[in-house]
Amino acid sequence: MTKIDLNKIVQSRTPDSFNSLPQDVYIPTLAAAFLLNRRAQNLTKKTLDFYRMNLEIFITWCEAQAVKTIEQITPELLRAFFVAMSETHKPGGVHAFYRTVRVFIRWYALE
């Protein structure tokens, strides 16, 4: 699996370019927009790093499942992701992924 570098995506995009994204955008592009939004909200570096790290793992896992767009994310896919994470992480770590993915999807729904 190829690791996604959300920093590079954020740095290569301008704020105006996020507003013209079609609905069927790639998850990494949306994640970069999400991180830019959170940075604009003046979240701490630690919080931004937490979101970035968890989203990179989520995106890498999604791409391994051939899931590339937000519309392909289903409840079943999310359950499979959390089960997969529970095989290598403690319950608190799985909950960290849950919190990150939840806030990311809620942000997308409100955008």
Side-chain angles (χ1 to χ4, degrees):
M1 292 190 287
T2 305
K3 186 172 177 178
I4 304 299
D5 188 349
L6 292 175
N7 280 331
K8 287 183 183 176
I9 294 172
V10 169
Q11 292 168 358
S12 69
R13 306 282 299 186
T14 63
D16 291 337
S17 65
F18 288 118
N19 295 329
S20 62
L21 296 174
Q23 288 298 309
D24 60 339
V25 296
Y26 289 112
I27 299 168
T29 303
L30 283 174
F34 167 77
L35 291 172
L36 182 64
N37 173 271
R38 295 308 182 209
R39 189 183 309 166
Q41 291 180 0
N42 204 27
L43 296 184
T44 67
K45 181 180 180 332
K46 186 175 178 180
T47 300
L48 293 171
D49 289 344
F50 173 81
Y51 284 153
R52 181 177 295 108
M53 177 187 69
N54 288 339
L55 285 173
E56 286 175 351
I57 292 169
F58 176 65
I59 293 166
T60 301
W61 185 87
C62 284
E63 289 186 344
Q65 312 308 308
V67 173
K68 305 234 184 253
T69 64
I70 196 84
E71 290 85 8
Q72 294 175 301
I73 297 175
T74 64
E76 294 80 18
L77 179 91
L78 293 173
R79 287 184 202 106
F81 172 70
F82 297 130
V83 167
M85 293 301 101
S86 72
E87 294 172 1
T88 57
H89 295 78
K90 294 180 181 179
V94 176
H95 191 255
F97 286 114
Y98 170 78
R99 292 189 323 265
T100 300
V101 173
R102 179 183 63 192
V103 72
F104 171 61
I105 291 174
R106 284 184 178 172
W107 166 83
Y108 174 76
L110 293 173
E111 282 292 300

